[in-house]
Amino acid sequence: SERPRARFHEALVVSPSRTVARAVTVSLERLGLRVVRAVDPFQALAMTVRARPDLVICGAVLDGLDGIDFLSALNAMAATRHVPAVLVTSFDSESAALKRLPESVTVVHLDQTLAARLEGVVHELVPCETCDEPSPLPTPHRKDRRDNPDPDHD
């Protein structure tokens, strides 16, 4: 009997910046994800509804709609609220803007190594199809990341 093929996980990266999108894409591809990019949040909303990616990652600053409103919109729609979402930002952890985020959104602060943070987030949010065990990588709980993005730094 043939072993079923593992499905590739797909991440949607939403960023008007080629540089930012490329940095995130390289990190995600190294983790085995297939990456699709959307330049603006309105295009990304349609893509998320149609394609149902396994993960959506965006920055706080987008064209026409900020990343927080974009992720709030995804969270508000029944068709997309189950999609894990990540906001990559340089906003301070105590920023009033971040308090508007739905609890389900994971925040990755740019004051940390982006590749390392994305690896931890991907292993937490995207299920591994080749193993029954949770990821061996230590990752804090979502709330811990938002409250204190770097536990070794005060």
Side-chain angles (χ1 to χ4, degrees), residues 14-153:
V14 187
S15 176
S17 166
R18 278 190 209 170
T19 305
V20 171
R22 187 71 194 137
V24 172
T25 297
V26 167
S27 295
L28 294 174
E29 286 176 344
R30 284 186 184 145
L31 296 169
L33 276 77
R34 182 179 303 154
V35 180
V36 177
R37 177 180 173 218
V39 176
D40 72 75
F42 301 106
Q43 173 192 29
L45 280 170
M47 290 171 73
T48 304
V49 169
R50 283 194 299 260
R52 307 283 167 98
D54 298 294
L55 182 65
V56 174
I57 298 178
C58 74
V61 180
L62 302 174
D63 293 334
L65 186 70
D66 70 34
I68 295 165
D69 287 340
F70 165 71
L71 294 175
S72 295
L74 287 183
N75 189 64
M77 293 187 292
T80 56
R81 78 172 45 119
H82 70 282
V83 177
V86 177
L87 180 77
V88 178
T89 183
S90 59
F91 288 168
D92 182 85
S93 298
E94 299 304 313
S95 167
L98 293 182
K99 294 186 187 327
R100 296 184 1 240
L101 274 173
E103 279 293 315
S104 61
V105 174
T106 300
V107 177
V108 174
H109 292 272
L110 288 176
D111 59 349
Q112 300 160 29
T113 305
L114 181 60
R117 295 299 298 147
L118 284 175
E119 183 175 356
V121 167
V122 166
H123 283 290
E124 181 181 334
L125 297 177
V126 179
C128 176
E129 297 208 1
T130 59
C131 59
D132 295 324
E133 300 288 322
S135 170
L137 296 173
T139 55
H141 296 291
R142 286 189 181 130
K143 189 157 183 67
D144 294 341
R145 272 197 293 280
R146 185 173 290 150
D147 292 344
N148 188 3
D150 186 358
D152 298 328
H153 185 274

